[in-house]
Amino acid sequence: MTPDRTISLANDIACAIATLQAVADELLTAYPDSDYDREDDAAIVGQISQQPMPSKKATTLEEVRGILADKASSGHRESVQALIQKHGAKRLSEVDPLEFDALIEEARAIK
């Protein structure tokens, strides 16, 4: 996932959270006698936020090579070469591993 896409996704999530909070506030206003307790939710959120986030498995050169090989064998050899060069290398083995995810995303977009 590209940094721009990540920022866009984070903004979308923030907007969704704000919308859900507004809906929750409206419901609490509409039903003031409910037995809902916000403090229970705060405790649950606190427990969740303390749990470690699972780390994403690093993409390997072999995974990238497999995807690019499929594209190249499907008649997109020149496009695959252009992608490798776009990521600053003459050969796939010279591409920075930090570029692998972006390279895969761009390769999958080749039609």
Side-chain angles (χ1 to χ4, degrees), residues 9-97:
L9 185 59
N11 287 335
D12 291 346
I13 291 170
C15 288
I17 290 169
T19 301
L20 289 172
Q21 184 62 52
V23 169
D25 290 343
E26 287 292 323
L27 288 171
L28 287 172
T29 302
Y31 301 99
D33 297 332
S34 73
D35 59 354
Y36 172 75
D37 186 4
R38 278 186 184 229
E39 291 179 12
D40 289 342
D41 283 352
I44 292 170
V45 169
Q47 292 171 355
I48 292 172
S49 64
Q50 292 174 358
Q51 295 176 355
M53 295 294 289
S55 61
K56 181 182 177 283
K57 181 183 78 96
T59 305
T60 65
L61 177 63
E62 290 74 25
E63 291 170 314
V64 178
R65 181 169 284 136
I67 291 167
L68 295 182
D70 286 344
K71 289 294 181 179
S73 66
S74 298
H76 301 286
R77 185 179 177 281
E78 292 174 1
S79 297
V80 169
Q81 283 295 327
L83 279 179
I84 292 170
Q85 291 173 0
K86 178 181 173 187
H87 288 272
K90 292 181 181 177
R91 299 174 20 186
L92 179 58
S93 60
E94 297 171 352
V95 173
D96 182 347

